[in-house]
Amino acid sequence: MSSTSSRRLNYDNINPHVKAAKYAVRGELAVKSEEYRAKLGNGDTDLPFQHVISANIGNPQQLDQKPITFFRQVLSILENTKLLEHEDVLINQLDYKPDVIERAKWLLSKAGSVGAYSASNGVPAIRQSIANFLERRDGFPANQHDIYMSAGASSGVNTLLHIICADQNSGILVPIPQYPLYTASLSVLNATCVPYYLDEHKNWGTDIDSIKKACEDAKSKGVDVRCVVIINPGNPTGASLSEEEVRGVIEFAREEQLVIMADEVYQTNVFIGTFHSFKGVLRKMQKENPGKYDNIELASLHSVSKGMVGECGHRGGYFELVGFDEKVQAEIYKFVSITLCAPVIGQCLVELMVNPPKEGEPSYELYKQEYDGIFNGLKERATALHKAFERMEGVECPDPAGSMYLFPTIKVPPKAVEEAKKEGRTPDEFYCMELLKATGICVVPGSGFGQREGTLHLRTTFLAPGTDWVELMVKFHKDFMAQYK
Amino acid sequence: MSSTSSRRLNYDNINPHVKAAKYAVRGELAVKSEEYRAKLGNGDTDLPFQHVISANIGNPQQLDQKPITFFRQVLSILENTKLLEHEDVLINQLDYKPDVIERAKWLLSKAGSVGAYSASNGVPAIRQSIANFLERRDGFPANQHDIYMSAGASSGVNTLLHIICADQNSGILVPIPQYPLYTASLSVLNATCVPYYLDEHKNWGTDIDSIKKACEDAKSKGVDVRCVVIINPGNPTGASLSEEEVRGVIEFAREEQLVIMADEVYQTNVFIGTFHSFKGVLRKMQKENPGKYDNIELASLHSVSKGMVGECGHRGGYFELVGFDEKVQAEIYKFVSITLCAPVIGQCLVELMVNPPKEGEPSYELYKQEYDGIFNGLKERATALHKAFERMEGVECPDPAGSMYLFPTIKVPPKAVEEAKKEGRTPDEFYCMELLKATGICVVPGSGFGQREGTLHLRTTFLAPGTDWVELMVKFHKDFMAQYK
């Protein structure tokens, strides 16, 4: 009897729904890239590159992005409140401005120690600060009672899907390509993912006909379609929806009586046009047509992980509910209670994000300078990368509009497709693995997000500093095309 | 048509498994106590008390417990790394010792920015530090590859149950009374909770016959019993298991081929005898009887939330796996990947907890003084509270042995039972609600943790400062007994 077979748990008897979940963002390529990084760290000189470029994950501070000084100064006081016994030293010798100290004191007065559990749905005063932000952003009131703080947006998505999906037959409309959190969570929950395709020819916009078709097909198979997920700005696509597109989704949700789950974590990463929040557009539509949209249920998510904040390691986030039944909200409260509360220091960081220094306040100037610097840096790198893709044979990519990603189509020669098959990989996986082996650049194959049959893509962030790596990519592509031509 | 009935989601169609979950620790009483606190905060003088005493949750820093200086100084540097440009100011004017700065630099060199995602299972160097700690604690090697960092132990329990439970028929042996995380998580997962009773007459020890009976009963009903959960030291019971008791459980797990899930988050809160880790005892048994215990699968959990650390708001924790199949571990890795990683600052705090200042190091003296002060304070208050229970009619409570709780039996007069019935409450709920209304002291009714039919209990922490509130409780009890006699 082998030791495996005598174990209680083995691959064949554990939760099949966990096994069915796919999560390529941290899959084989990511693991291989970490192996390479460790090799290089140990002084290995056998590899054809000196650095691993992690362009596979939207992890800004792993790369070039520096944290915003105001945020981190406040957090340092929250962690060591004894610093408040030396305000003069903080101000005169350590570059802390009075508004940093004031904010830290205010947060401590509201949250207590960051080492203590908060209320299950988050510190009330922080939820109020979020409500104030939403009111400023959208021009419509928000209520802290409808806000739930979470450990990053991922944990919020997990909570919402747990409530919405009643059984295997509950269907959730999920965009393809999509961030695999949705499909993976639905697999684990054993609910039904109803994929709908985004329109690559319209800059990965939302195509209502395509959603409608997916919804109707699922319904005709008896699926109880309950909710439509929208990621705006798009991950992995980099799209940014127009107000018209947002209105179209809300109208569709009304007609089909679907909950809208709006993943808006990239709301400040917008390079073309402006961001249109689902909450803001919904409130406008409700005002324009009294009564018509009153029964829309919307959950919108945000986090500290992306944007110019980029603090994903802090796992801070929240979701706001609009139009939800009180009894359903009570179950959401109970559900989040089971894991007690979101990290309190992350909650404080959410507060800082939604309520940054204002013009005229002591920390404003530096804050503005850092914020704009990050924004412009991202935009420049997005543009440089996009230009590089334009130079690459068979690669097509819409202009960078939002989020932290480009998601170009690639075309690979038939010989490469054959080679991929031999290795048991899809052609895009093969391409990305060869790219990693040759250059140390780690990207994610499009198949990890879903793509239309017969098309190939890759997702890359544009967070890595410099442009040298972009040139490496251009060179690799040329060699690859030549090799398999 | 009412607005409720036209909503897509209502109480009747959301996830029934979430609805079925019970979580009393943050239930009605906790909510009511927060209402009272808000009232008092607004200057209300109608209530018969001036303070709310939250004895319902093991939330040390909400009450008297101060964070340990060394930990928080290091964290403050991790949050604001610019402080490292002023080491002289830190040391000469802000009481930072050189080992604080050294540790912060080391953690930064290993984790990078605390604002960046770490590896899904946690920062490798921190996992290595945990492995070193386990080796020192148990006298047997540990491997960082088998350690998974989590957002508090709760999230680790959630991960493990997700993997172990394959379907509705998968059974998990859970102690009664228990911390309701287990029953609630099993409800949400729609797996089978197989309750076994702890032995109140043996200081809430583990009674193997009782576990065996529960296991056999469940098996005879066709339940696929897979795992036994042990909480040691006990929550809510305050018990602390002897080495014999731990050996008994391991022997039983071997015979029945069950995974052991050892919730050891209170491992430093031990007031009688010493803590015996499942890992340490298992390795001893493996050494004594080569081959016999090789197939035991053990998952043991720990966190920064309890003990003298008490940093529950930081959501830091980990679990170590022993004897698990590699392929099963790969699925665990994938599962934790879906929510990306545990909060990185919380991971750093885990490192500080398992690797505190050593004798001779600059921060040691203060660390030791703070640590011992907290330990002795907890022990004193536990003793004072226990003595108070001894003075209360019909209340019985074993000596405080471990964790942060006392879990006395209470007996209430038949008239109170009737009154409770009228209010639709169990007698212990009624007692605890009356206690809250009269004194502002919030405890948790025993029924929130499960108890033997016909017995009544309450769980109280002994974290609240002072002893005035203990006297309030004694007085309330006397009045209550008189009123309903």
Side-chain angles (χ1 to χ4, degrees):
Chain A
M1 188 160 69
S2 84
S3 82
T4 300
S5 65
S6 61
R7 282 202 182 91
R8 187 63 180 87
L9 299 179
N10 56 61
Y11 187 77
D12 297 324
N13 72 3
I14 58 171
N15 190 339
H17 310 304
V18 171
K19 286 195 285 182
K22 288 197 170 60
Y23 196 73
V25 177
R26 295 198 159 197
E28 186 195 1
L29 272 139
V31 170
K32 182 128 219 125
S33 78
E34 291 307 324
E35 284 170 22
Y36 285 156
R37 194 191 305 278
K39 266 193 171 180
L40 292 169
N42 292 334
D44 198 305
T45 54
D46 288 354
L47 297 170
F49 46 84
Q50 281 91 51
H51 306 283
V52 167
I53 309 280
S54 300
N56 57 317
I57 299 190
N59 193 2
Q61 294 186 19
Q62 186 194 32
L63 298 165
D64 199 28
Q65 194 165 318
K66 295 276 169 297
I68 291 195
T69 303
F70 175 79
F71 297 169
R72 294 301 198 90
Q73 286 179 332
V74 174
L75 297 188
S76 70
I77 297 175
L78 301 183
E79 288 293 4
N80 184 15
T81 57
K82 289 181 184 170
L83 290 174
L84 289 172
E85 295 163 17
H86 306 274
E87 288 187 25
D88 54 324
V89 178
L90 293 180
I91 289 180
N92 299 324
Q93 296 181 63
L94 297 174
D95 294 328
Y96 285 60
K97 299 275 191 287
D99 55 344
V100 170
I101 294 171
E102 208 175 293
R103 184 68 67 87
K105 284 183 180 169
W106 181 81
L107 280 166
L108 288 168
S109 77
K110 298 299 179 183
S113 169
V114 295
Y117 293 129
S118 73
S120 306
N121 50 350
V123 177
I126 294 179
R127 286 186 283 114
Q128 185 56 51
S129 191
I130 296 169
N132 299 344
F133 154 73
L134 293 170
E135 200 160 328
R136 286 193 306 273
R137 187 193 69 182
D138 296 331
F140 293 94
N143 187 340
Q144 56 115 325
H145 172 74
D146 300 319
I147 292 165
Y148 297 77
M149 306 208 61
S150 58
S154 301
S155 140
V157 167
N158 182 54
T159 297
L160 291 164
L161 292 178
H162 260 92
I163 298 292
I164 298 172
C165 299
D167 55 34
Q168 214 172 331
N169 198 42
S170 300
I172 309 286
L173 283 154
V174 171
I176 298 296
Q178 53 105 31
Y179 178 53
L181 165 67
Y182 293 92
T183 39
S185 302
L186 288 169
S187 281
V188 171
L189 262 166
N190 193 24
T192 300
C193 178
V194 182
Y196 68 88
Y197 285 103
L198 298 172
D199 189 350
E200 183 162 10
H201 302 293
K202 287 184 185 159
N203 290 343
W204 295 110
T206 304
D207 174 2
I208 296 296
D209 290 340
S210 155
I211 308 184
K212 197 167 275 177
K213 188 175 176 314
C215 185
E216 274 161 18
D217 285 358
K219 280 181 166 178
S220 74
K221 286 177 196 146
V223 175
D224 176 21
V225 183
R226 297 179 159 218
C227 169
V228 55
V229 172
I230 306 281
I231 310 176
N232 177 44
N235 177 3
T237 63
S240 176
L241 298 184
S242 68
E243 182 173 333
E244 274 327 289
E245 286 172 303
V246 174
R247 282 179 179 259
V249 172
I250 294 173
E251 184 57 43
F252 171 74
R254 188 191 67 77
E255 286 163 14
E256 299 285 338
Q257 224 200 352
L258 297 175
V259 178
I260 302 169
M261 197 187 303
D263 179 337
E264 301 180 325
V265 301
Y266 296 97
Q267 59 187 263
T268 58
N269 298 98
V270 175
F271 308 116
I272 297 178
T274 48
F275 168 69
H276 302 280
S277 76
F278 267 85
K279 168 89 179 291
V281 175
L282 171 64
R283 289 300 192 220
K284 262 202 243 179
M285 290 168 79
Q286 287 174 332
K287 214 173 157 185
E288 290 160 5
N289 284 284
K292 190 170 176 190
Y293 299 99
D294 281 3
N295 292 324
I296 294 277
E297 290 149 270
L298 165 68
S300 56
L301 300 117
H302 194 18
S303 88
V304 297
S305 299
K306 311 299 173 183
M308 275 40 77
V309 185
E311 294 273 10
C312 39
H314 274 103
R315 314 307 298 122
Y318 71 86
F319 57 86
E320 183 195 19
L321 300 180
V322 178
F324 272 61
D325 185 299
E326 273 300 320
K327 282 187 184 165
V328 173
Q329 291 208 32
E331 293 300 310
I332 293 175
Y333 183 89
K334 184 181 70 186
F335 183 83
V336 298
S337 294
I338 299 172
T339 45
L340 299 158
C341 68
V344 178
I345 198 88
Q347 294 186 37
C348 293
L349 188 48
V350 171
E351 202 283 326
L352 298 169
M353 171 180 79
V354 299
N355 186 21
K358 291 180 202 49
E359 206 165 344
E361 291 176 353
S363 295
Y364 179 74
E365 203 179 332
L366 178 61
Y367 168 76
K368 177 92 169 79
Q369 182 190 319
E370 291 174 336
Y371 189 95
D372 291 349
I374 295 168
F375 183 86
N376 293 330
L378 289 173
K379 195 170 176 178
E380 274 163 29
R381 274 174 278 156
T383 309
L385 189 57
H386 183 255
K387 279 199 179 136
F389 285 139
E390 283 186 331
R391 283 155 53 203
M392 287 155 69
E393 183 191 345
V395 174
E396 277 173 51
C397 186
D399 288 337
S403 85
M404 299 181 162
Y405 312 103
L406 292 184
F407 193 69
T409 309
I410 52 175
K411 290 196 181 70
V412 309
K415 262 196 186 168
V417 176
E418 271 169 47
E419 198 58 33
K421 215 172 181 177
K422 276 188 214 159
E423 292 192 9
R425 300 183 196 280
T426 59
D428 55 335
E429 281 170 1
F430 177 72
Y431 180 92
C432 294
M433 186 57 93
E434 293 302 304
L435 174 67
L436 174 63
K437 286 182 193 166
T439 64
I441 300 170
C442 185
V443 298
V444 188
S447 48
F449 307 95
Q451 47 195 353
R452 273 188 201 276
E453 192 67 34
T455 67
L456 299 174
H457 301 83
L458 62 85
R459 187 189 82 166
T460 173
T461 72
F462 39 80
L463 298 166
T467 50
D468 292 0
W469 66 280
V470 176
E471 290 310 313
L472 276 180
M473 211 166 181
V474 174
K475 185 178 174 304
F476 162 80
H477 186 75
K478 206 173 157 188
D479 295 349
F480 181 92
M481 295 305 274
Q483 186 180 348
Y484 294 102
K485 187 128 283 176
Chain B
M1 189 157 70
S2 84
S3 83
T4 302
S5 66
S6 62
R7 281 201 183 90
R8 187 63 181 88
L9 299 180
N10 56 63
Y11 187 76
D12 297 324
N13 72 3
I14 58 171
N15 189 339
H17 310 305
V18 171
K19 285 195 287 183
K22 289 197 171 57
Y23 195 74
V25 177
R26 295 200 160 197
E28 187 195 359
L29 272 140
V31 171
K32 181 128 219 124
S33 79
E34 289 307 323
E35 284 170 21
Y36 285 156
R37 194 192 305 278
K39 265 194 170 177
L40 293 170
N42 291 334
D44 198 306
T45 55
D46 289 353
L47 296 170
F49 46 86
Q50 281 90 51
H51 305 284
V52 168
I53 308 281
S54 299
N56 57 317
I57 298 190
N59 193 3
Q61 294 186 19
Q62 186 193 32
L63 299 164
D64 200 28
Q65 194 165 318
K66 296 277 169 295
I68 291 195
T69 303
F70 175 79
F71 296 169
R72 293 301 198 90
Q73 286 179 332
V74 174
L75 297 188
S76 70
I77 297 175
L78 301 183
E79 288 292 4
N80 185 15
T81 56
K82 289 181 183 168
L83 291 173
L84 289 172
E85 294 163 17
H86 307 272
E87 287 187 25
D88 54 325
V89 177
L90 293 180
I91 289 180
N92 299 324
Q93 297 181 62
L94 298 173
D95 294 329
Y96 285 61
K97 300 274 191 286
D99 53 346
V100 169
I101 294 170
E102 208 176 293
R103 183 69 66 89
K105 284 183 181 170
W106 182 81
L107 280 165
L108 287 168
S109 77
K110 297 301 179 183
S113 169
V114 294
Y117 292 128
S118 72
S120 305
N121 50 349
V123 177
I126 294 179
R127 287 186 281 113
Q128 184 56 51
S129 191
I130 296 169
N132 298 345
F133 154 72
L134 293 170
E135 199 162 329
R136 286 193 304 273
R137 187 193 67 184
D138 297 330
F140 293 94
N143 187 340
Q144 56 115 325
H145 173 73
D146 299 319
I147 292 165
Y148 296 77
M149 307 208 62
S150 58
S154 301
S155 139
V157 168
N158 181 54
T159 297
L160 290 164
L161 292 178
H162 259 92
I163 299 292
I164 298 173
C165 300
D167 55 33
Q168 215 173 330
N169 198 43
S170 300
I172 309 286
L173 283 155
V174 171
I176 298 295
Q178 53 107 28
Y179 177 54
L181 165 66
Y182 293 92
T183 39
S185 302
L186 288 169
S187 281
V188 171
L189 261 166
N190 193 25
T192 300
C193 178
V194 182
Y196 68 87
Y197 286 103
L198 298 172
D199 190 349
E200 183 161 11
H201 302 295
K202 286 185 187 158
N203 291 343
W204 295 110
T206 304
D207 174 2
I208 296 295
D209 290 340
S210 155
I211 309 184
K212 197 168 276 178
K213 189 176 174 314
C215 185
E216 274 161 17
D217 285 358
K219 280 182 168 178
S220 74
K221 287 176 196 148
V223 175
D224 176 20
V225 183
R226 297 179 159 218
C227 169
V228 55
V229 172
I230 305 281
I231 310 176
N232 178 44
N235 177 4
T237 63
S240 177
L241 299 185
S242 68
E243 182 172 335
E244 272 330 288
E245 285 173 303
V246 174
R247 282 178 179 260
V249 173
I250 294 173
E251 184 58 43
F252 170 74
R254 187 193 67 77
E255 285 164 14
E256 299 285 337
Q257 222 199 356
L258 297 175
V259 177
I260 301 169
M261 196 185 303
D263 179 337
E264 302 180 324
V265 300
Y266 296 97
Q267 59 188 262
T268 59
N269 298 98
V270 176
F271 307 116
I272 296 177
T274 48
F275 169 69
H276 302 280
S277 76
F278 268 84
K279 167 88 179 292
V281 175
L282 170 63
R283 290 298 192 223
K284 264 203 240 178
M285 291 169 79
Q286 288 174 332
K287 214 173 156 185
E288 290 159 6
N289 283 284
K292 189 170 177 191
Y293 299 97
D294 281 3
N295 292 324
I296 294 276
E297 289 149 270
L298 164 68
S300 57
L301 298 118
H302 194 17
S303 89
V304 297
S305 299
K306 311 299 174 184
M308 276 39 80
V309 185
E311 295 273 10
C312 39
H314 273 102
R315 315 308 298 122
Y318 71 86
F319 58 86
E320 183 195 19
L321 300 179
V322 178
F324 271 61
D325 186 297
E326 274 298 321
K327 280 188 186 166
V328 172
Q329 291 205 167
E331 293 300 310
I332 293 175
Y333 183 89
K334 183 181 69 185
F335 184 83
V336 298
S337 294
I338 298 173
T339 46
L340 298 159
C341 67
V344 178
I345 198 89
Q347 294 186 37
C348 293
L349 188 48
V350 171
E351 202 284 326
L352 297 169
M353 171 180 80
V354 299
N355 186 20
K358 289 179 203 49
E359 206 164 345
E361 292 176 353
S363 294
Y364 179 74
E365 204 180 328
L366 179 61
Y367 168 77
K368 177 92 169 79
Q369 183 191 317
E370 291 174 336
Y371 189 96
D372 291 349
I374 295 168
F375 184 85
N376 294 330
L378 289 173
K379 195 170 176 177
E380 274 164 30
R381 275 174 277 157
T383 310
L385 189 57
H386 182 256
K387 280 199 179 135
F389 284 139
E390 283 185 332
R391 282 156 53 203
M392 285 156 69
E393 184 191 345
V395 174
E396 278 173 52
C397 187
D399 287 338
S403 85
M404 299 181 161
Y405 312 103
L406 292 184
F407 194 68
T409 308
I410 52 174
K411 290 198 181 69
V412 308
K415 262 197 187 169
V417 176
E418 272 168 46
E419 198 58 33
K421 215 171 181 179
K422 277 189 211 155
E423 293 192 8
R425 299 183 196 281
T426 59
D428 55 334
E429 281 170 1
F430 177 71
Y431 179 93
C432 294
M433 185 56 93
E434 294 301 304
L435 174 67
L436 175 63
K437 286 183 193 165
T439 63
I441 300 171
C442 185
V443 299
V444 188
S447 48
F449 307 97
Q451 47 195 354
R452 272 189 202 274
E453 193 68 35
T455 67
L456 298 175
H457 301 82
L458 62 84
R459 186 191 82 167
T460 173
T461 72
F462 40 80
L463 297 166
T467 50
D468 293 359
W469 66 280
V470 176
E471 289 311 313
L472 276 180
M473 212 165 179
V474 174
K475 184 176 176 306
F476 162 80
H477 187 76
K478 207 173 155 189
D479 295 348
F480 181 91
M481 295 305 274
Q483 186 179 349
Y484 293 102
K485 187 131 284 175

